[in-house]
Amino acid sequence: MHHKHIVLERAQLGVADVPARELGLDDVGGPLSAYLLRPYLDLSEFVDGPSETTSVEVAFRQLAAPDAPRLMIQTHPGRGLRTALVRESGLPAYGITRARELPERLRTDRWRQLVEWTRARLLPLGQRLRLATLLNTLGLFGETVELFTGRIGDVDSGDGVATALSMQLAIARLRIDPSADTERVNAATLRQAAENDRGDRYVRLGAALTLVVLAAKRRDVEEVRHWREVAESQYVLLDPGAGLPDVLYASTFWRAVCYLPHLLGDRVRTTEELDAAEHHALAFRPRDSTERMVWAANMNPLLETRMRAALDTGDRDGGWARLSQLAELEPLSAKVRIHVGKFHLDDGAPEKALPELRRAITLGAPFTGLSWYLTARCLDRLGDHAGALRAYAEAVRADPASVDARLRIHELAGAADGGLAALPAWAGGSLGEITTRLKAPARTTAKEQAR
């Protein structure tokens, strides 16, 4: 009976003869996340969505118009985004690693053009760079490595395009294998680009700023100081008053180098340098939709950085002001809704956090699991332990490797009754199996995402 019902539904949809592995969003619809992030899945033209989607749109437009000035792409998707979307939509056809793997019947005209570009062996170097950038924004990192290893050009020649392509290749390798060995190799590529006296100033600046951020994550103050000095040598060559790309590079410069005073505990200087970053960001006036997307992609991390800087100093009012701006800029971002919910949760107001986190659940992947986890924490604090147990179970459904959620299910055994009575034993048994497989510390998944 159950299988006949499924066949009937497929017949009604007109896809009864289509293999399940080739069903697409136009066949069965899909969750809101797949609608908002659809350009990421098949290069549909951007309608509305978070900044991850606008970066795909900008990267495609850049590749389709090779004579247009190359614009800064600041957002690359997380490694798990495609996996999360496939799990949430139940459509395995989109779980690809190469452009050519998407079934023909699901390809948009844009995607067909992408496949043709990946097959072209005589693309000019500038087009190769734009193609690698698009592939990386689509999360097709393996294809970037496959196509461009050994086809970059002479990085030492001072050719900014060749150096920029080498950096895109480094990004792809690190996303595929985020090991210490890969990070060391990529850091060497970045150092080479930043220190090349004959190199393009934008590429040198971008490489130096990336090294600043990487060193800051390790809290290596001397490395941050060194690469800041290298970045400053290229910053003085910018003319922010001339518009793109200099004005956004200037904003990015101040947002990155403020890590030095932040690590040194100099709150005044950190604020001054973030003020400079915001000044340049607001000085830029987009002339068209593409430039508007680029502007928003810069404002998003800037406002998030300002929010974090304020909260780190205990300035809750300042942090809320920046977070409110970010929420206005990115109304369709699940990550931003999570920030808002977590702000209320940290303030001891789970009743205010709950509607924000439910909005994040609706917006969906790639933050569905974390949204459910934080929703469960709210319900837990409000005394609804049975509701919390169900929410933790949904967190595991969205992210089977969510150790934190499994632990709480196991701990809430007393709230389990009726149809939920088997959950604690299941979570406990699964927890042992998962923690055995995980190399990272067991209790990091949800907490690290929430930062």
Side-chain angles (χ1 to χ4, degrees):
M1 292 290 290
H2 181 61
H3 293 294
K4 289 180 180 178
H5 179 62
I6 292 175
V7 171
L8 177 61
E9 285 185 339
R10 287 166 59 84
Q12 288 174 331
L13 290 167
V15 294
D17 297 328
V18 177
R21 65 181 180 277
E22 292 192 4
L23 288 176
L25 291 169
D26 289 336
D27 299 317
V28 299
L32 180 59
S33 58
Y35 170 76
L36 295 174
L37 295 168
R38 183 155 183 175
Y40 177 80
L41 294 175
D42 64 7
L43 280 177
S44 290
E45 190 169 356
F46 173 78
V47 178
D48 205 356
S51 56
E52 291 89 348
T53 315
T54 60
S55 292
V56 170
E57 182 69 17
V58 171
F60 177 82
R61 292 182 186 184
Q62 291 271 282
L63 182 55
D67 295 330
R70 185 163 59 89
L71 300 175
M72 186 189 306
I73 305 289
Q74 298 198 49
T75 305
H76 290 100
R79 294 173 64 226
L81 176 56
R82 188 171 294 277
T83 301
L85 284 170
V86 168
R87 181 185 296 122
E88 194 157 285
S89 66
L91 297 172
Y94 296 105
I96 60 175
T97 59
R98 306 290 189 275
R100 62 182 177 272
E101 294 172 3
L102 188 68
E104 174 63 35
R105 67 179 301 274
L106 301 185
R107 296 178 186 180
T108 60
D109 289 342
R110 284 176 158 198
W111 196 275
R112 292 187 182 92
Q113 181 62 65
L114 171 62
V115 173
E116 290 303 311
W117 278 319
T118 62
R119 289 172 175 166
R121 291 295 172 180
L122 298 176
L123 282 178
L125 187 60
Q127 282 294 83
R128 276 183 263 164
L129 169 59
R130 295 182 184 217
L131 175 56
T133 302
L134 176 57
L135 290 172
N136 281 352
T137 63
L138 290 168
L140 302 179
F141 304 112
E143 190 151 23
T144 299
V145 173
E146 177 183 286
L147 289 176
F148 300 112
T149 298
R151 297 185 63 226
I152 291 176
D154 186 359
V155 176
D156 294 323
S157 68
D159 187 328
V161 176
T163 307
L165 181 52
S166 74
M167 291 170 62
Q168 289 294 326
L169 184 57
I171 289 170
R173 284 173 172 156
L174 189 59
R175 291 302 180 96
I176 293 170
D177 176 20
S179 66
D181 288 341
T182 306
E183 187 170 336
R184 279 194 292 272
V185 171
N186 285 354
T189 300
L190 291 168
R191 286 195 296 271
Q192 184 181 20
E195 293 175 336
N196 186 351
D197 291 336
R198 295 182 296 167
D200 176 270
R201 69 180 186 273
Y202 300 119
V203 175
R204 291 191 65 189
L205 178 58
L209 294 178
T210 302
L211 288 163
V212 165
V213 174
L214 292 174
K217 289 180 178 179
R218 300 192 305 270
R219 305 191 71 81
D220 188 332
V221 173
E222 291 310 309
E223 277 282 297
V224 172
R225 193 189 309 275
H226 170 72
W227 293 115
R228 173 175 172 138
E229 290 172 356
V230 174
E232 286 171 346
S233 71
Q234 301 307 301
Y235 174 77
V236 297
L237 303 177
L238 297 178
D239 180 11
L244 283 175
D246 291 37
V247 65
L248 288 188
Y249 271 102
S251 178
T252 304
F253 168 83
W254 287 112
R255 174 162 52 87
V257 300
C258 77
Y259 272 113
L260 181 58
H262 176 71
L263 290 173
L264 295 173
D266 188 340
R267 297 177 179 179
V268 173
R269 189 174 175 190
T270 300
T271 300
E272 290 174 350
E273 295 188 350
L274 284 171
D275 286 343
E278 189 167 356
H279 166 76
H280 289 300
L282 296 176
F284 173 50
R285 295 290 183 268
R287 296 171 297 181
D288 54 36
S289 61
T290 302
E291 290 189 358
R292 166 72 187 179
M293 292 178 191
V294 173
W295 174 83
N298 179 66
M299 283 300 297
N300 181 311
L302 173 58
L303 290 171
E304 187 172 350
T305 301
R306 301 223 68 169
M307 174 195 74
R308 293 182 188 278
L311 295 178
D312 284 348
T313 63
D315 180 5
R316 302 289 293 175
D317 290 340
W320 176 252
R322 296 303 183 181
L323 180 52
S324 298
Q325 288 179 277
L326 183 58
E328 184 177 351
L329 177 69
E330 286 268 24
L332 295 174
S333 168
K335 182 181 179 181
V336 173
R337 302 329 308 180
I338 287 172
H339 278 315
V340 176
K342 193 168 183 303
F343 185 95
H344 290 310
L345 195 58
D346 291 344
D347 267 355
E351 70 284 355
K352 292 183 179 179
L354 201 54
E356 296 293 341
L357 295 168
R358 284 174 171 158
R359 287 181 66 185
I361 289 169
T362 301
L363 292 169
F367 299 103
T368 311
L370 178 57
S371 302
W372 274 114
Y373 174 79
L374 292 173
T375 295
R377 283 182 56 191
C378 289
L379 294 170
D380 225 345
R381 291 193 188 183
L382 291 168
D384 183 359
H385 301 304
L389 189 60
R390 295 185 184 91
Y392 283 127
E394 290 295 337
V396 174
R397 185 203 298 269
D399 178 10
S402 178
V403 175
D404 299 282
R406 290 177 184 272
L407 279 171
R408 286 300 294 147
I409 291 171
H410 191 59
E411 292 165 359
L412 284 172
D417 55 15
L420 302 178
L423 278 177
W426 160 77
S430 303
L431 181 63
E433 182 179 346
I434 290 172
T435 52
T436 299
R437 295 178 181 178
L438 288 178
K439 296 180 181 179
R443 300 192 68 170
T444 56
T445 306
K447 293 175 183 176
E448 287 189 343
Q449 289 185 62
R451 288 176 186 168

